[in-house]
Amino acid sequence: MPPMKPMLAKSVARIPPGMQYEAKWDGFRALIHRDGDEVVIGSRNGKPLTRYFPELVTAFLRELPERCVIDGEIVIAYEGRLDFDRLSERIHPADSRVRTLAERTPASFVAFDLLALEDRSLLSTPQSERRAALVDALGGVSAPVHVAPATTDAELAEEWFRRYEGAGLDGVVAKPLDLPYRPDVRAMYKIKHERTADVVVAGYRLHKSGPVVGSLLLGLHDTSGTLQHVGVCAAFSMKRRAELVDELAPLVMDSAEGHPWAAWARESAHESARLPGAPSRWTGKKDLSWIAVRPESVCEVAYDHMEGDRFRHTAQFRRWRPDRTPGECTYAQLEEPVRYDLAEVLASG
């Protein structure tokens, strides 16, 4: 019965041998409970997503077994790639807006695990048997419901890791063949793409615990020379957070006047530039203020991939780069994966 939390994955550097491999989807993780005419779409944190995806509720009633619990990912494809920004737009308080978006950019569901079927729980069933049961139960489904491609061939998984990124996928997930389903436990393995880039540090936010750095605000110059906010890096020890305050102190500005992102507090400014502190339904009443520093320092960060003109996830600080100038920090240095049509990925399932 919902709510239920999904099984999770921990990061590893390489694809481990002897497992089942799947693409890592970049969407909303979802546990689908169906019992006759009732459908509940549960999120990773247990809260229901049902009202945000009416077109999927209709599809689940048509395509899924009458009584089942299925683990998978909700995604939106746009121009042959996964589009997380368009997916995020669905989390909207207005039902009319949700239904308009459902027609304009309909979502799909990629199923990759079967947790219950009819009266039988499969939580203690090994992964390899659950996969066979999933394929058997969903073998005849049609779009927008799909069965995730899977293989036990490690060489093919390596090829997927390289090729599928062009369709917006996030990497590869490896699952031990004898693994039971363990809700809210990091029992699987994820292998994600990682690249590095030199970025301008143009500000920071304070940590919630006190006057130490919570996150560094990162920028890249576009073709016009404008410094665009591309994301943050935030994973530091408390000792390192305090050290960063001292390191950035000589660059701290008395006010944001004259800073490339000085207009950040004016909502209309976000329409023509990427600035920190953009209002969204995710931030709510969260304090988005930040401390401006002269955009003169460069650091190297690791990132997995881009979502449009920003880092999709929080970047990882690697080191200061005193040998680089801020003007060298442009979008041109970023690696662009070869395009690959998402429809081909789904068809292989």
Side-chain angles (χ1 to χ4, degrees):
M1 295 293 290
M4 182 178 178
K5 293 191 174 183
M7 182 165 62
L8 304 175
K10 52 191 172 186
S11 294
V12 294
R14 295 178 178 82
I15 297 176
M19 298 191 183
Q20 176 183 301
Y21 310 104
E22 301 171 12
K24 186 178 183 302
W25 302 88
D26 188 21
F28 288 167
R29 186 75 176 275
L31 290 177
I32 313 305
H33 290 72
R34 183 190 176 187
D35 186 357
D37 292 336
E38 293 183 81
V39 171
V40 174
I41 304 175
S43 68
R44 177 169 168 166
N45 61 15
K47 295 181 179 179
L49 294 171
T50 317
R51 67 175 296 268
Y52 303 117
F53 297 97
E55 77 278 33
L56 288 184
V57 172
T58 301
F60 293 152
L61 291 172
R62 182 183 70 243
E63 301 292 338
L64 298 186
E66 190 164 315
R67 300 188 70 222
C68 62
V69 181
I70 295 176
D71 188 3
E73 198 100 359
I74 298 173
V75 298
I76 285 181
Y78 183 74
E79 296 183 348
R81 286 176 58 89
L82 297 182
D83 193 318
F84 192 83
D85 283 347
R86 283 179 168 78
L87 182 64
S88 299
E89 290 176 357
R90 287 298 191 87
I91 311 303
H92 197 283
D95 184 68
S96 58
R97 176 63 174 166
V98 169
R99 294 190 176 277
T100 296
L101 291 174
E103 294 181 6
R104 183 182 304 166
T105 52
S108 298
F109 178 73
V110 184
F112 47 66
D113 215 331
L114 180 63
L115 312 189
L117 184 63
E118 301 301 339
D119 292 325
R120 181 189 174 200
S121 168
L122 301 176
L123 295 184
S124 60
T125 303
Q127 170 65 48
S128 58
E129 295 181 28
R130 293 201 311 278
R131 172 68 188 185
L134 174 72
V135 171
D136 183 60
L138 272 65
V141 297
S142 58
V145 179
H146 307 270
V147 176
T151 184
T152 55
D153 184 337
E155 290 187 5
L156 180 57
E158 292 279 2
E159 182 182 340
W160 286 356
F161 184 78
R162 295 189 300 270
R163 191 196 326 162
Y164 283 0
E165 187 186 10
L169 278 75
D170 220 2
V172 166
V173 173
K175 304 178 178 180
L177 297 175
D178 59 352
L179 180 68
Y181 196 91
R182 302 172 64 191
D184 207 28
V185 175
R186 293 191 180 278
M188 305 181 293
Y189 304 95
K190 57 184 178 183
I191 307 91
K192 299 178 67 174
H193 298 276
E194 180 177 280
R195 299 172 174 83
T196 61
D198 295 329
V199 294
V200 180
V201 175
Y204 66 88
R205 289 195 176 97
L206 292 173
H207 195 264
K208 58 184 178 181
S209 66
V212 295
V213 168
S215 59
L216 299 177
L217 306 186
L218 312 176
L220 286 173
H221 291 98
D222 62 20
T223 53
S224 70
T226 301
L227 187 67
Q228 304 285 358
H229 175 55
V230 293
V232 302
C233 53
F236 303 105
S237 67
M238 291 305 294
K239 179 176 181 291
R240 185 71 183 115
R241 293 181 190 280
E243 292 172 346
L244 285 169
V245 171
D246 294 334
E247 292 171 17
L248 292 170
L251 299 175
V252 171
M253 302 171 65
D254 293 333
S255 74
E257 186 176 353
H259 192 282
W261 300 337
W264 74 275
R266 194 171 69 248
E267 188 170 340
S268 61
H270 294 267
E271 298 173 4
S272 57
R274 179 166 288 284
L275 306 172
S280 77
R281 55 196 165 277
W282 303 106
T283 52
K285 297 181 179 179
K286 182 179 179 181
D287 182 11
L288 299 177
S289 62
W290 52 283
I291 295 171
V293 302
R294 296 196 306 275
E296 298 173 3
S297 290
V298 174
C299 73
E300 180 183 345
V301 298
Y303 69 98
D304 45 19
H305 68 282
M306 303 293 290
E307 179 70 31
D309 56 0
R310 61 179 173 84
F311 296 134
R312 168 68 179 85
H313 300 107
T314 302
Q316 304 297 312
F317 183 90
R318 289 293 181 255
R319 54 178 173 155
W320 291 112
R321 292 303 303 260
D323 57 327
R324 298 285 193 267
T325 64
E328 295 177 90
C329 300
T330 68
Y331 282 97
Q333 67 183 299
L334 304 181
E335 181 182 343
E336 178 68 22
V338 176
R339 298 281 294 192
Y340 191 80
D341 195 335
L342 182 66
E344 294 188 39
V345 182
L346 294 172
S348 65

